[in-house]
Amino acid sequence: IHKNVRGVFMTVITILGAGGKMGNRVTQPLLDTKKYELRFVEKSEAGQARIREAGHTVMDLDDALKGTDVVIFTTPDALVRQISDEVVPKLDPGTKILFLDPAAIAADRVKHRADISCFVCHPTHPPVFSLLGETDPAARRDYWGGGLATQALVFAIAWGTEEEADLVETIATEMFAPISASHRITVQQMALLEPALSETLINGCVEVITQGLQKVIDLGVPEAAAKDFCMGHLQISIALLFEELNWKLSDGALMALKNAQGSLFRDDWDAIFKPENVLASVKQITGGDK
């Protein structure tokens, strides 16, 4: 915590990739708290222009890192190793670094320094049924978690102390506010959630559903009817299978579900959760097998 130009002690946060989508997402909520001195680092000219248009100053990397308390990586997964190789050696002892995705840490892409601490967080995005409880119509359509709808957060200590974690976790909850809960888990557990559960399994299943929808349209079902039927049954299936509704699948639906398992999924589909496969996935996301 450092004294700013007005003589007020504030936590200094440097945002790497501040002109990108995620950099922009986390900036305004942190500014709104009026608790932090923010420093913005961005390499691309387009990103720099966006920062300046918002009324902020783009800083040189070395200047931004001097005396900073927390460095937030809002940079693409594929570039994290390259960027962290440049950044980590320049950090002052005691600096805390925060990643918004577990892939780089789970793949061991970030060099370990014992005199700094490292944390990972990731928002859950607003859960399907909690959106229905939002009173603001705009919040009910905030599917991504853009600051209107409530979502949860997962948070992990890669290395560091509980005291440091408390500070960084608070920053994380403020970045992605409004937050209903922050779940403390491990980096390895977070990698099971993303990419294995979310990006591999959930996205894979939903992509097959969209292909099935297009298939029935191609077979002659009117598009409007097919979409209405698909979206309605997608919602009720989620409600039934996740026990959000006091109702059960019909005998016919259960039979179709049982028959579908063998034709739609391999018997060993859950191998995506094996440690070696999760490691292979996070390595690929962060730049390949090297």
Side-chain angles (χ1 to χ4, degrees), residues 208-271:
V208 170
I209 290 171
T210 66
Q211 293 175 10
L213 171 62
Q214 187 58 51
K215 179 66 70 174
V216 299
I217 293 171
D218 293 343
L219 290 171
V221 179
E223 183 174 348
K227 284 186 174 179
D228 282 347
F229 204 82
C230 178
M231 299 310 291
H233 279 76
L234 182 58
Q235 179 169 251
I236 190 62
S237 294
I238 294 173
L240 289 170
L241 294 172
F242 282 89
E243 300 182 344
E244 291 284 342
L245 186 65
N246 186 23
W247 199 264
K248 299 295 182 183
L249 289 171
S250 68
D251 290 342
L254 286 170
M255 184 178 298
L257 175 61
K258 182 178 180 180
N259 293 337
Q261 298 295 321
S263 59
L264 293 177
F265 299 102
R266 295 168 36 148
D267 290 340
D268 64 344
W269 67 266
D270 55 349

Side-chain angles (χ1 to χ4, degrees), residues 34-69:
K34 297 180 170 49
K35 293 166 52 178
Y36 308 111
E37 177 188 323
L38 300 187
R39 299 175 178 177
F40 304 97
V41 176
E42 173 62 53
K43 284 193 173 183
S44 76
E45 292 185 3
Q48 291 178 6
R50 285 190 289 270
I51 293 171
R52 294 189 180 102
E53 287 170 6
H56 309 306
T57 300
V58 179
M59 293 186 67
D60 173 78
L61 175 63
D62 290 355
D63 291 337
L65 295 180
K66 291 176 183 176
T68 195
D69 297 299

Side-chain angles (χ1 to χ4, degrees), residues 38-259:
L38 300 187
R39 299 175 178 177
F40 304 97
V41 176
E42 173 62 53
K43 284 193 173 183
S44 76
E45 292 185 3
Q48 291 178 6
R50 285 190 289 270
I51 293 171
R52 294 189 180 102
E53 287 170 6
H56 309 306
T57 300
V58 179
M59 293 186 67
D60 173 78
L61 175 63
D62 290 355
D63 291 337
L65 295 180
K66 291 176 183 176
T68 195
D69 297 299
V70 180
V71 176
I72 302 174
F73 287 75
T74 69
T75 50
D77 287 328
L79 300 178
V80 166
R81 175 166 51 178
Q82 173 187 341
I83 295 170
S84 66
D85 281 350
E86 179 183 7
V87 169
V88 170
K90 298 179 178 181
L91 298 175
D92 294 338
T95 304
K96 292 157 279 292
I97 55 178
L98 174 64
F99 293 85
L100 307 187
D101 185 282
I105 303 301
D108 199 25
R109 300 302 199 193
V110 180
K111 292 178 180 176
H112 189 289
R113 269 184 59 182
D115 59 347
I116 67 170
S117 53
C118 179
F119 307 92
V120 185
C121 72
H122 196 79
T124 64
H125 307 297
V128 174
F129 294 107
S130 71
L131 281 172
L132 300 175
E134 298 286 351
T135 56
D136 180 1
R140 286 197 291 274
R141 296 187 65 84
D142 183 16
Y143 308 123
W144 186 64
L148 299 177
T150 300
Q151 60 185 336
L153 182 79
V154 289
F155 183 88
I157 301 174
W159 66 87
T161 68
E162 284 292 333
E163 182 179 4
E164 293 168 323
D166 288 342
L167 169 65
V168 179
E169 186 177 24
T170 295
I171 293 171
T173 60
E174 291 168 339
M175 285 194 305
F176 293 110
I179 293 292
S180 59
S182 180
H183 304 284
R184 285 282 190 100
I185 60 177
T186 68
V187 172
Q188 289 71 30
Q189 289 169 339
M190 200 181 296
L192 285 172
L193 297 177
E194 182 154 323
L197 178 65
S198 58
E199 295 175 340
T200 304
L201 180 61
I202 295 175
N203 286 355
C205 290
V206 174
E207 173 63 17
V208 170
I209 290 171
T210 66
Q211 293 175 10
L213 171 62
Q214 187 58 51
K215 179 66 70 174
V216 299
I217 293 171
D218 293 343
L219 290 171
V221 179
E223 183 174 348
K227 284 186 174 179
D228 282 347
F229 204 82
C230 178
M231 299 310 291
H233 279 76
L234 182 58
Q235 179 169 251
I236 190 62
S237 294
I238 294 173
L240 289 170
L241 294 172
F242 282 89
E243 300 182 344
E244 291 284 342
L245 186 65
N246 186 23
W247 199 264
K248 299 295 182 183
L249 289 171
S250 68
D251 290 342
L254 286 170
M255 184 178 298
L257 175 61
K258 182 178 180 180
N259 293 337

